[in-house]
Amino acid sequence: DVIRPILRYGAGVLHAPAEVVPAVTPDVQQLIDDMVQTMYAATGIGLAATQVGIPQRIFVVDVSGGRKAADLLVFVNPEFVERDGMQLEEEGCLSVPGFNATVARPSKVLLSGLDRDGQEQTIEASGLLARAFQHEMDHLDGTLFVDRLRGLQKDIVARRIKKLSRAGKW
Ligand code: ZN
């Protein structure tokens, strides 16, 4: 497996909707395995294909950060069946390093899609896992968590990223 570079806020592919995956081929499975290694190497709990420059509807999540094998979840062409409630927690993103902010998310979700073997799966999630699913689904729609901030908070993040870019530090 290959650890792939993670793109940062500002890269075009992060800001556009990803495409439906026509079939879970060996190439798709290789990409998934690379994404898992890349997520663990970056000590993240989730990674979307768009973050490694591939505009396809695939994400991986592991809220245990690799400590529990059963916590590794792979979704291809995921769709929400249900979303309910509201939670407010601090969030970050491997594509927006150094920034954290409180984002409102549903507290419970039901997500269905294909797994790494192309089999249908539906998973019920609450708390952190529900948040991770929502965060990664946003990536597949070209939305980053900082896009969900409002007003002054959003302006501050945008300004700091612009400043870092100008200084060649982004
Ligand atoms: Zn992210």
Side-chain angles (χ1 to χ4, degrees), residues 57-95:
R57 302 190 76 81
I58 304 168
F59 72 69
V60 297
V61 159
D62 183 345
V63 293
S64 82
R67 284 185 295 272
K68 286 197 282 177
D71 280 356
L72 175 61
L73 296 167
V74 173
F75 268 96
V76 177
N77 300 336
E79 278 180 35
F80 285 114
V81 181
E82 269 179 52
R83 276 181 280 187
D84 199 20
M86 204 268 276
Q87 56 170 318
L88 276 170
E89 296 292 340
E90 188 145 286
E91 206 165 294
C93 178
L94 294 174
S95 294

mmCIF file of all heavy atoms in Angstrom, residues 57-95:
data_model
loop_
_atom_site.group_PDB
_atom_site.id
_atom_site.type_symbol
_atom_site.label_atom_id
_atom_site.label_comp_id
_atom_site.label_asym_id
_atom_site.label_seq_id
_atom_site.Cartn_x
_atom_site.Cartn_y
_atom_site.Cartn_z
ATOM 1 N N ARG A 57 -16.640 8.798 -5.080
ATOM 2 C CA ARG A 57 -17.397 8.771 -3.821
ATOM 3 C C ARG A 57 -16.975 7.567 -2.970
ATOM 4 O O ARG A 57 -17.657 6.548 -2.921
ATOM 5 C CB ARG A 57 -18.904 8.780 -4.110
ATOM 6 C CG ARG A 57 -19.324 10.011 -4.919
ATOM 7 C CD ARG A 57 -20.820 10.170 -5.023
ATOM 8 N NE ARG A 57 -21.401 10.669 -3.797
ATOM 9 C CZ ARG A 57 -21.426 11.937 -3.421
ATOM 10 N NH1 ARG A 57 -20.870 12.866 -4.175
ATOM 11 N NH2 ARG A 57 -21.992 12.289 -2.286
ATOM 12 N N ILE A 58 -15.834 7.745 -2.297
ATOM 13 C CA ILE A 58 -15.264 6.710 -1.425
ATOM 14 C C ILE A 58 -14.732 7.401 -0.174
ATOM 15 O O ILE A 58 -14.076 8.438 -0.287
ATOM 16 C CB ILE A 58 -14.065 5.999 -2.097
ATOM 17 C CG1 ILE A 58 -14.467 5.400 -3.442
ATOM 18 C CG2 ILE A 58 -13.466 4.941 -1.165
ATOM 19 C CD1 ILE A 58 -13.275 4.951 -4.284
ATOM 20 N N PHE A 59 -15.015 6.829 0.999
ATOM 21 C CA PHE A 59 -14.292 7.287 2.193
ATOM 22 C C PHE A 59 -14.006 6.135 3.130
ATOM 23 O O PHE A 59 -14.635 5.066 3.059
ATOM 24 C CB PHE A 59 -15.009 8.450 2.896
ATOM 25 C CG PHE A 59 -16.282 8.114 3.624
ATOM 26 C CD1 PHE A 59 -16.274 7.349 4.794
ATOM 27 C CD2 PHE A 59 -17.494 8.617 3.178
ATOM 28 C CE1 PHE A 59 -17.441 7.084 5.487
ATOM 29 C CE2 PHE A 59 -18.680 8.348 3.857
ATOM 30 C CZ PHE A 59 -18.644 7.577 5.016
ATOM 31 N N VAL A 60 -13.031 6.333 4.002
ATOM 32 C CA VAL A 60 -12.694 5.374 5.051
ATOM 33 C C VAL A 60 -12.772 6.117 6.383
ATOM 34 O O VAL A 60 -12.482 7.311 6.449
ATOM 35 C CB VAL A 60 -11.298 4.752 4.846
ATOM 36 C CG1 VAL A 60 -11.257 3.950 3.549
ATOM 37 C CG2 VAL A 60 -10.198 5.812 4.833
ATOM 38 N N VAL A 61 -13.198 5.392 7.421
ATOM 39 C CA VAL A 61 -13.336 5.970 8.755
ATOM 40 C C VAL A 61 -12.874 4.934 9.773
ATOM 41 O O VAL A 61 -13.138 3.732 9.602
ATOM 42 C CB VAL A 61 -14.819 6.366 9.024
ATOM 43 C CG1 VAL A 61 -15.100 6.469 10.519
ATOM 44 C CG2 VAL A 61 -15.178 7.680 8.340
ATOM 45 N N ASP A 62 -12.171 5.363 10.790
ATOM 46 C CA ASP A 62 -11.844 4.499 11.929
ATOM 47 C C ASP A 62 -11.740 5.377 13.167
ATOM 48 O O ASP A 62 -10.710 6.020 13.389
ATOM 49 C CB ASP A 62 -10.537 3.745 11.690
ATOM 50 C CG ASP A 62 -10.222 2.776 12.828
ATOM 51 O OD1 ASP A 62 -10.852 2.899 13.900
ATOM 52 O OD2 ASP A 62 -9.341 1.926 12.652
ATOM 53 N N VAL A 63 -12.819 5.406 13.943
ATOM 54 C CA VAL A 63 -12.822 6.300 15.115
ATOM 55 C C VAL A 63 -11.888 5.793 16.220
ATOM 56 O O VAL A 63 -11.601 6.517 17.149
ATOM 57 C CB VAL A 63 -14.245 6.544 15.682
ATOM 58 C CG1 VAL A 63 -15.099 7.335 14.695
ATOM 59 C CG2 VAL A 63 -14.933 5.247 16.082
ATOM 60 N N SER A 64 -11.375 4.555 16.099
ATOM 61 C CA SER A 64 -10.408 4.065 17.085
ATOM 62 C C SER A 64 -8.980 4.420 16.664
ATOM 63 O O SER A 64 -8.029 4.134 17.403
ATOM 64 C CB SER A 64 -10.530 2.547 17.274
ATOM 65 O OG SER A 64 -9.829 1.849 16.254
ATOM 66 N N GLY A 65 -8.821 5.016 15.478
ATOM 67 C CA GLY A 65 -7.494 5.392 15.003
ATOM 68 C C GLY A 65 -6.587 4.183 14.778
ATOM 69 O O GLY A 65 -5.370 4.286 14.915
ATOM 70 N N GLY A 66 -7.176 3.031 14.467
ATOM 71 C CA GLY A 66 -6.378 1.846 14.168
ATOM 72 C C GLY A 66 -6.208 0.903 15.343
ATOM 73 O O GLY A 66 -5.548 -0.126 15.226
ATOM 74 N N ARG A 67 -6.806 1.225 16.483
ATOM 75 C CA ARG A 67 -6.641 0.363 17.671
ATOM 76 C C ARG A 67 -7.582 -0.836 17.657
ATOM 77 O O ARG A 67 -7.280 -1.862 18.246
ATOM 78 C CB ARG A 67 -6.832 1.177 18.956
ATOM 79 C CG ARG A 67 -5.616 2.056 19.291
ATOM 80 C CD ARG A 67 -5.774 2.756 20.622
ATOM 81 N NE ARG A 67 -6.874 3.706 20.583
ATOM 82 C CZ ARG A 67 -6.754 4.973 20.194
ATOM 83 N NH1 ARG A 67 -5.585 5.440 19.831
ATOM 84 N NH2 ARG A 67 -7.791 5.781 20.177
ATOM 85 N N LYS A 68 -8.741 -0.678 16.996
ATOM 86 C CA LYS A 68 -9.695 -1.793 16.934
ATOM 87 C C LYS A 68 -10.022 -2.085 15.477
ATOM 88 O O LYS A 68 -10.621 -1.251 14.788
ATOM 89 C CB LYS A 68 -10.989 -1.440 17.691
ATOM 90 C CG LYS A 68 -10.813 -1.479 19.214
ATOM 91 C CD LYS A 68 -12.150 -1.553 19.928
ATOM 92 C CE LYS A 68 -12.841 -0.219 19.973
ATOM 93 N NZ LYS A 68 -14.168 -0.272 20.601
ATOM 94 N N ALA A 69 -9.646 -3.280 15.019
ATOM 95 C CA ALA A 69 -9.805 -3.627 13.603
ATOM 96 C C ALA A 69 -11.260 -3.485 13.145
ATOM 97 O O ALA A 69 -11.530 -3.063 12.017
ATOM 98 C CB ALA A 69 -9.311 -5.041 13.360
ATOM 99 N N ALA A 70 -12.207 -3.814 14.034
ATOM 100 C CA ALA A 70 -13.625 -3.780 13.665
ATOM 101 C C ALA A 70 -14.129 -2.353 13.440
ATOM 102 O O ALA A 70 -15.204 -2.157 12.864
ATOM 103 C CB ALA A 70 -14.464 -4.457 14.739
ATOM 104 N N ASP A 71 -13.365 -1.369 13.883
ATOM 105 C CA ASP A 71 -13.805 0.020 13.734
ATOM 106 C C ASP A 71 -13.483 0.599 12.355
ATOM 107 O O ASP A 71 -13.928 1.704 12.034
ATOM 108 C CB ASP A 71 -13.181 0.906 14.814
ATOM 109 C CG ASP A 71 -13.908 0.778 16.143
ATOM 110 O OD1 ASP A 71 -14.934 0.063 16.192
ATOM 111 O OD2 ASP A 71 -13.471 1.395 17.121
ATOM 112 N N LEU A 72 -12.700 -0.126 11.577
ATOM 113 C CA LEU A 72 -12.387 0.370 10.231
ATOM 114 C C LEU A 72 -13.590 0.157 9.314
ATOM 115 O O LEU A 72 -14.046 -0.972 9.127
ATOM 116 C CB LEU A 72 -11.163 -0.354 9.650
ATOM 117 C CG LEU A 72 -10.831 0.013 8.201
ATOM 118 C CD1 LEU A 72 -10.510 1.496 8.052
ATOM 119 C CD2 LEU A 72 -9.679 -0.845 7.683
ATOM 120 N N LEU A 73 -14.104 1.255 8.781
ATOM 121 C CA LEU A 73 -15.265 1.188 7.892
ATOM 122 C C LEU A 73 -14.920 1.828 6.555
ATOM 123 O O LEU A 73 -14.269 2.872 6.509
ATOM 124 C CB LEU A 73 -16.454 1.919 8.523
ATOM 125 C CG LEU A 73 -16.980 1.295 9.828
ATOM 126 C CD1 LEU A 73 -17.933 2.243 10.526
ATOM 127 C CD2 LEU A 73 -17.665 -0.040 9.540
ATOM 128 N N VAL A 74 -15.357 1.159 5.504
ATOM 129 C CA VAL A 74 -15.133 1.646 4.143
ATOM 130 C C VAL A 74 -16.492 1.860 3.503
ATOM 131 O O VAL A 74 -17.359 0.980 3.575
ATOM 132 C CB VAL A 74 -14.337 0.593 3.324
ATOM 133 C CG1 VAL A 74 -14.250 1.002 1.861
ATOM 134 C CG2 VAL A 74 -12.947 0.384 3.920
ATOM 135 N N PHE A 75 -16.683 3.017 2.903
ATOM 136 C CA PHE A 75 -17.938 3.268 2.192
ATOM 137 C C PHE A 75 -17.658 3.715 0.760
ATOM 138 O O PHE A 75 -16.875 4.621 0.515
ATOM 139 C CB PHE A 75 -18.770 4.352 2.892
ATOM 140 C CG PHE A 75 -19.764 3.792 3.887
ATOM 141 C CD1 PHE A 75 -19.445 3.715 5.230
ATOM 142 C CD2 PHE A 75 -21.004 3.341 3.465
ATOM 143 C CE1 PHE A 75 -20.357 3.196 6.149
ATOM 144 C CE2 PHE A 75 -21.922 2.818 4.366
ATOM 145 C CZ PHE A 75 -21.598 2.746 5.715
ATOM 146 N N VAL A 76 -18.323 3.041 -0.172
ATOM 147 C CA VAL A 76 -18.300 3.429 -1.576
ATOM 148 C C VAL A 76 -19.730 3.825 -1.939
ATOM 149 O O VAL A 76 -20.682 3.115 -1.584
ATOM 150 C CB VAL A 76 -17.827 2.246 -2.464
ATOM 151 C CG1 VAL A 76 -17.874 2.625 -3.939
ATOM 152 C CG2 VAL A 76 -16.421 1.795 -2.059
ATOM 153 N N ASN A 77 -19.893 4.952 -2.599
ATOM 154 C CA ASN A 77 -21.213 5.482 -2.968
ATOM 155 C C ASN A 77 -22.181 5.557 -1.776
ATOM 156 O O ASN A 77 -23.328 5.086 -1.867
ATOM 157 C CB ASN A 77 -21.849 4.652 -4.089
ATOM 158 C CG ASN A 77 -21.004 4.638 -5.346
ATOM 159 O OD1 ASN A 77 -20.210 5.543 -5.583
ATOM 160 N ND2 ASN A 77 -21.159 3.609 -6.153
ATOM 161 N N PRO A 78 -21.736 6.135 -0.657
ATOM 162 C CA PRO A 78 -22.616 6.194 0.526
ATOM 163 C C PRO A 78 -23.779 7.172 0.349
ATOM 164 O O PRO A 78 -23.662 8.153 -0.393
ATOM 165 C CB PRO A 78 -21.673 6.698 1.633
ATOM 166 C CG PRO A 78 -20.625 7.479 0.905
ATOM 167 C CD PRO A 78 -20.442 6.802 -0.427
ATOM 168 N N GLU A 79 -24.880 6.844 1.028
ATOM 169 C CA GLU A 79 -26.046 7.741 1.049
ATOM 170 C C GLU A 79 -26.686 7.688 2.422
ATOM 171 O O GLU A 79 -26.815 6.609 2.994
ATOM 172 C CB GLU A 79 -27.074 7.306 0.006
ATOM 173 C CG GLU A 79 -26.740 7.799 -1.387
ATOM 174 C CD GLU A 79 -27.775 7.359 -2.408
ATOM 175 O OE1 GLU A 79 -28.973 7.295 -2.068
ATOM 176 O OE2 GLU A 79 -27.367 7.063 -3.538
ATOM 177 N N PHE A 80 -27.119 8.846 2.916
ATOM 178 C CA PHE A 80 -27.829 8.850 4.187
ATOM 179 C C PHE A 80 -29.250 8.344 3.991
ATOM 180 O O PHE A 80 -29.960 8.766 3.087
ATOM 181 C CB PHE A 80 -27.878 10.258 4.784
ATOM 182 C CG PHE A 80 -26.557 10.672 5.382
ATOM 183 C CD1 PHE A 80 -25.819 11.702 4.836
ATOM 184 C CD2 PHE A 80 -26.053 10.014 6.493
ATOM 185 C CE1 PHE A 80 -24.598 12.074 5.385
ATOM 186 C CE2 PHE A 80 -24.833 10.372 7.050
ATOM 187 C CZ PHE A 80 -24.111 11.407 6.488
ATOM 188 N N VAL A 81 -29.649 7.420 4.865
ATOM 189 C CA VAL A 81 -31.017 6.930 4.879
ATOM 190 C C VAL A 81 -31.825 7.767 5.872
ATOM 191 O O VAL A 81 -32.999 8.078 5.644
ATOM 192 C CB VAL A 81 -31.056 5.432 5.292
ATOM 193 C CG1 VAL A 81 -32.479 4.910 5.295
ATOM 194 C CG2 VAL A 81 -30.170 4.599 4.378
ATOM 195 N N GLU A 82 -31.149 8.112 6.973
ATOM 196 C CA GLU A 82 -31.792 8.916 8.020
ATOM 197 C C GLU A 82 -30.762 9.775 8.715
ATOM 198 O O GLU A 82 -29.606 9.377 8.872
ATOM 199 C CB GLU A 82 -32.400 7.989 9.091
ATOM 200 C CG GLU A 82 -33.827 7.590 8.854
ATOM 201 C CD GLU A 82 -34.316 6.656 9.954
ATOM 202 O OE1 GLU A 82 -34.164 7.015 11.146
ATOM 203 O OE2 GLU A 82 -34.799 5.572 9.611
ATOM 204 N N ARG A 83 -31.205 10.947 9.158
ATOM 205 C CA ARG A 83 -30.373 11.804 9.998
ATOM 206 C C ARG A 83 -31.284 12.416 11.053
ATOM 207 O O ARG A 83 -32.378 12.851 10.716
ATOM 208 C CB ARG A 83 -29.718 12.913 9.177
ATOM 209 C CG ARG A 83 -28.442 12.462 8.499
ATOM 210 C CD ARG A 83 -27.800 13.584 7.727
ATOM 211 N NE ARG A 83 -28.449 13.788 6.440
ATOM 212 C CZ ARG A 83 -27.995 14.628 5.518
ATOM 213 N NH1 ARG A 83 -26.923 15.348 5.737
ATOM 214 N NH2 ARG A 83 -28.619 14.760 4.368
ATOM 215 N N ASP A 84 -30.771 12.441 12.283
ATOM 216 C CA ASP A 84 -31.630 12.901 13.364
ATOM 217 C C ASP A 84 -30.809 13.581 14.462
ATOM 218 O O ASP A 84 -29.658 13.240 14.689
ATOM 219 C CB ASP A 84 -32.385 11.690 13.951
ATOM 220 C CG ASP A 84 -33.613 12.109 14.736
ATOM 221 O OD1 ASP A 84 -34.105 13.244 14.523
ATOM 222 O OD2 ASP A 84 -34.077 11.311 15.562
ATOM 223 N N GLY A 85 -31.440 14.516 15.151
ATOM 224 C CA GLY A 85 -30.822 15.158 16.303
ATOM 225 C C GLY A 85 -29.753 16.161 15.928
ATOM 226 O O GLY A 85 -29.564 16.488 14.754
ATOM 227 N N MET A 86 -29.041 16.656 16.937
ATOM 228 C CA MET A 86 -28.007 17.657 16.705
ATOM 229 C C MET A 86 -26.942 17.541 17.775
ATOM 230 O O MET A 86 -27.240 17.330 18.941
ATOM 231 C CB MET A 86 -28.644 19.051 16.738
ATOM 232 C CG MET A 86 -27.872 20.115 15.990
ATOM 233 S SD MET A 86 -26.706 21.017 16.993
ATOM 234 C CE MET A 86 -27.791 22.263 17.703
ATOM 235 N N GLN A 87 -25.679 17.626 17.354
ATOM 236 C CA GLN A 87 -24.554 17.648 18.287
ATOM 237 C C GLN A 87 -23.632 18.798 17.888
ATOM 238 O O GLN A 87 -23.495 19.129 16.716
ATOM 239 C CB GLN A 87 -23.794 16.317 18.277
ATOM 240 C CG GLN A 87 -23.289 15.880 16.910
ATOM 241 C CD GLN A 87 -22.337 14.693 16.982
ATOM 242 O OE1 GLN A 87 -21.471 14.624 17.854
ATOM 243 N NE2 GLN A 87 -22.513 13.739 16.067
ATOM 244 N N LEU A 88 -23.025 19.400 18.904
ATOM 245 C CA LEU A 88 -22.072 20.484 18.689
ATOM 246 C C LEU A 88 -20.739 20.061 19.286
ATOM 247 O O LEU A 88 -20.626 19.916 20.498
ATOM 248 C CB LEU A 88 -22.545 21.752 19.408
ATOM 249 C CG LEU A 88 -23.551 22.643 18.709
ATOM 250 C CD1 LEU A 88 -24.068 23.706 19.676
ATOM 251 C CD2 LEU A 88 -22.946 23.311 17.484
ATOM 252 N N GLU A 89 -19.753 19.788 18.425
ATOM 253 C CA GLU A 89 -18.436 19.385 18.926
ATOM 254 C C GLU A 89 -17.357 20.039 18.079
ATOM 255 O O GLU A 89 -17.590 20.449 16.957
ATOM 256 C CB GLU A 89 -18.265 17.858 18.842
ATOM 257 C CG GLU A 89 -19.199 17.047 19.712
ATOM 258 C CD GLU A 89 -18.945 17.191 21.211
ATOM 259 O OE1 GLU A 89 -17.832 17.610 21.609
ATOM 260 O OE2 GLU A 89 -19.890 16.896 21.972
ATOM 261 N N GLU A 90 -16.159 20.073 18.642
ATOM 262 C CA GLU A 90 -15.025 20.610 17.904
ATOM 263 C C GLU A 90 -14.579 19.597 16.848
ATOM 264 O O GLU A 90 -14.608 18.397 17.077
ATOM 265 C CB GLU A 90 -13.882 20.901 18.868
ATOM 266 C CG GLU A 90 -12.757 21.639 18.204
ATOM 267 C CD GLU A 90 -12.089 22.624 19.151
ATOM 268 O OE1 GLU A 90 -12.682 23.682 19.447
ATOM 269 O OE2 GLU A 90 -10.994 22.317 19.605
ATOM 270 N N GLU A 91 -14.184 20.119 15.708
ATOM 271 C CA GLU A 91 -13.840 19.288 14.564
ATOM 272 C C GLU A 91 -12.587 19.820 13.884
ATOM 273 O O GLU A 91 -12.312 21.015 13.924
ATOM 274 C CB GLU A 91 -15.024 19.350 13.587
ATOM 275 C CG GLU A 91 -15.178 18.169 12.697
ATOM 276 C CD GLU A 91 -16.560 18.158 12.060
ATOM 277 O OE1 GLU A 91 -17.575 17.992 12.780
ATOM 278 O OE2 GLU A 91 -16.636 18.313 10.848
ATOM 279 N N GLY A 92 -11.848 18.915 13.267
ATOM 280 C CA GLY A 92 -10.695 19.310 12.462
ATOM 281 C C GLY A 92 -10.685 18.484 11.195
ATOM 282 O O GLY A 92 -11.573 17.669 10.969
ATOM 283 N N CYS A 93 -9.659 18.677 10.366
ATOM 284 C CA CYS A 93 -9.603 17.974 9.073
ATOM 285 C C CYS A 93 -8.154 17.887 8.615
ATOM 286 O O CYS A 93 -7.412 18.863 8.723
ATOM 287 C CB CYS A 93 -10.441 18.748 8.045
ATOM 288 S SG CYS A 93 -10.423 18.023 6.398
ATOM 289 N N LEU A 94 -7.774 16.729 8.087
ATOM 290 C CA LEU A 94 -6.397 16.545 7.609
ATOM 291 C C LEU A 94 -6.081 17.502 6.453
ATOM 292 O O LEU A 94 -4.919 17.782 6.198
ATOM 293 C CB LEU A 94 -6.185 15.099 7.151
ATOM 294 C CG LEU A 94 -6.252 14.032 8.261
ATOM 295 C CD1 LEU A 94 -6.174 12.631 7.660
ATOM 296 C CD2 LEU A 94 -5.153 14.239 9.292
ATOM 297 N N SER A 95 -7.108 18.004 5.777
ATOM 298 C CA SER A 95 -6.896 18.932 4.664
ATOM 299 C C SER A 95 -6.890 20.397 5.123
ATOM 300 O O SER A 95 -6.683 21.297 4.304
ATOM 301 C CB SER A 95 -7.972 18.742 3.591
ATOM 302 O OG SER A 95 -7.838 17.474 2.991
#
